[in-house]
Amino acid sequence: MLRCFIIDDNRRFLDAARALLEREGITVVGVASSAAEALQRAEELQPDVLLVDIRLGDQSGFDVARQLHGKASLAGSRTVLISTHAEEDYADLIAASPAIGFLPKAILSARAIRNMLGLPG
């Protein structure tokens, strides 16, 4: 079972994404709405995949992704950046990040995550 942790500052999105992914067979082990909460909880939960919103209020999702990537306890976790903004708007930053890729929030699904991870549908 794929274990996912979602980091986003929009509570409605967190609730909707959790419900969608769990309905599609992904276990959402937790959610966070700030960098501090994300860093603490992700280390505790050690998910397989971290979904990180590019814009976390006044915080940068890119910074959060780098901080998470730097944690030895999360060495087995893969990071996917998410946003309502177009990938082209952040292409250079996405490429320079430790994330394995980017998913627009509009197409977020278990299948899209599995495809990004190279796992069967």
Side-chain angles (χ1 to χ4, degrees), residues 58-117:
D58 62 348
Q59 300 172 311
S60 165
F62 295 106
D63 289 342
V64 172
R66 278 189 288 282
Q67 291 172 8
L68 290 165
H69 186 73
K71 300 284 185 186
S73 62
L74 294 173
S77 298
R78 311 282 293 281
T79 301
V80 175
L81 295 166
I82 58 174
S83 183
T84 56
H85 297 276
E87 183 172 5
E88 303 83 56
D89 296 346
Y90 296 98
D92 292 340
L93 292 169
I94 292 167
S97 80
I100 61 166
F102 172 85
L103 282 175
K105 287 183 180 180
I107 65 163
L108 182 65
S109 68
R111 172 174 275 172
I113 292 169
R114 287 187 180 104
N115 286 344
M116 184 142 306
L117 296 172

Side-chain angles (χ1 to χ4, degrees), residues 46-67:
Q46 298 193 354
D48 301 311
V49 64
L50 299 144
L51 299 181
V52 182
D53 188 13
I54 285 176
R55 296 185 67 194
L56 295 169
D58 62 348
Q59 300 172 311
S60 165
F62 295 106
D63 289 342
V64 172
R66 278 189 288 282
Q67 291 172 8

Side-chain angles (χ1 to χ4, degrees), residues 31-43:
V31 299
S33 56
S34 70
E37 182 184 11
L39 291 167
Q40 177 187 356
R41 305 244 9 254
E43 277 199 286

Side-chain angles (χ1 to χ4, degrees), residues 22-39:
E22 287 183 342
R23 195 170 49 247
E24 294 181 350
I26 289 181
T27 300
V28 177
V29 294
V31 299
S33 56
S34 70
E37 182 184 11
L39 291 167

